[in-house]
Amino acid sequence: QVQLIESGGGLVQAGGSLRLSCAASGRAFNNYAMGWFRQAPGKEREFVSAITWSGANTLYAESVKGRFTISRDNAKNTVYLQMNSLKPEDTAVYYCAASPKYGGPYGYASNYDYWGQGTQVTVSS
């Protein structure tokens, strides 16, 4: 079992930045690839970014590529999502998730076994 707790969400103006954190507890954190997903009101949950267990490989949705950066610190059992140049369309609840699947694919929510409770990100225009 892995417990995930997100933090760092909030209200920011367009063009601003936020850094989300996801702290993990339970089974060995470095056994899992980690992902970030988001869900806006009235929309389906969508993939944002993922990082492999070692941090050597990352994956981004086209909509955030070049603006968001995922990273992890296995010593701290934490994964981060640095979000720059935020846009109103980035407004959503952001969830982190853990996947035990070696090799992915990590863009699909069905490949993640554990989820956090989510943190709200609101970008005003």
Side-chain angles (χ1 to χ4, degrees), residues 33-36 47-61 64-66 68-72 79-81 106-107 112:
M34 299 297 296
W36 287 96
F47 170 75
V48 176
S49 183
I51 188 167
T52 54
W53 68 272
S54 68
N57 295 295
T58 58
L59 183 67
Y60 295 95
V64 306
K65 199 171 290 185
F68 291 11
T69 302
I70 191 170
S71 61
R72 66 189 295 162
V79 62
Y80 305 97
L81 186 68
Y106 298 122
Y112 292 81

Side-chain angles (χ1 to χ4, degrees), residues 2-8 19-25 29-30 32-37 49-55 57-60 69-82 94-99 112 114-116 119:
V2 176
Q3 293 80 41
L4 303 172
I5 300 177
E6 302 97 334
S7 62
R19 187 175 83 154
L20 305 183
S21 299
C22 174
S25 61
F29 178 68
N30 59 5
Y32 295 87
M34 299 297 296
W36 287 96
F37 289 75
S49 183
I51 188 167
T52 54
W53 68 272
S54 68
N57 295 295
T58 58
L59 183 67
Y60 295 95
T69 302
I70 191 170
S71 61
R72 66 189 295 162
D73 185 336
N74 287 343
K76 295 182 178 180
N77 288 359
T78 302
V79 62
Y80 305 97
L81 186 68
Q82 178 67 44
Y94 282 71
Y95 300 89
C96 73
S99 172
Y112 292 81
Y114 302 103
W115 293 82
T119 185

